């Protein structure tokens, strides 16, 4: 999205008044947001740039090896074990969020 909407969502979920946030103005800041369903519940959370890139690949039917390549992004200057841990963390989160399913 083009705006930082996560603070607004959080305020609504916590039952806080939105007047203060709206008075400050919603910041125009590109934000990666994942929205999905678990049964009838609509869920959402923010994504960092690498996870968003990896999920776009997954949506296109990529391999886990390609997800690992995204996790090993050279701009993060992380060692291979950190990249592997990042990919495993994503996979666990995606499974827990029920984003992945068995191939049909």
């Amino acid at each position: 999205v083009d705006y930082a909407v996560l603070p607004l969502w959080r305020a609504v979920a916590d039952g806080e008044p939105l007047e203060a946030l709206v008075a400050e103005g919603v910041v125009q800041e590109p934000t990666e947001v994942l929205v999905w369903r678990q049964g009838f519940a609509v869920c959402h959370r923010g994504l960092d740039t690498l996870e968003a890139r990896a999920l776009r690949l997954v949506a296109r039917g990529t391999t886990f090896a390609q997800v690992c390549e995204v996790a090993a992004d050279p701009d993060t200057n992380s060692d291979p074990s950190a990249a592997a841990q990042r990919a495993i963390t994503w996979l666990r989160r995606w499974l827990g969020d029920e984003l992945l399913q068995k191939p049909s």
Side-chain angles (χ1 to χ4, degrees):
V1 293
D2 292 332
Y3 292 87
V5 296
L6 293 174
L8 293 173
W9 262 337
R10 201 170 7 264
V12 168
D14 294 343
E16 297 176 14
L18 296 179
E19 289 80 13
L21 288 170
V22 172
E24 293 174 12
V26 179
V27 178
Q28 185 171 0
E29 175 183 317
T31 304
E32 299 278 0
V33 179
L34 173 65
V35 180
W36 75 100
R37 293 176 48 107
Q38 287 183 332
F40 292 107
V42 177
C43 306
H44 69 276
R45 66 177 170 85
L47 297 173
D48 64 38
T49 304
L50 289 180
E51 185 180 5
R53 189 181 322 155
L55 272 174
R56 281 192 282 277
L57 288 173
V58 168
R60 291 187 212 125
T62 194
T63 64
F64 188 65
Q66 290 172 315
V67 169
C68 290
E69 286 178 22
V70 171
D73 181 69
D75 292 337
T76 62
N77 296 321
S78 61
D79 63 271
S81 63
Q85 185 59 48
R86 182 181 297 126
I88 290 168
T89 298
W90 291 340
L91 182 59
R92 284 183 181 153
R93 185 180 302 146
W94 300 340
L95 290 168
D97 290 344
E98 300 175 8
L99 299 177
L100 304 178
Q101 62 184 13
K102 286 194 262 185
S104 48

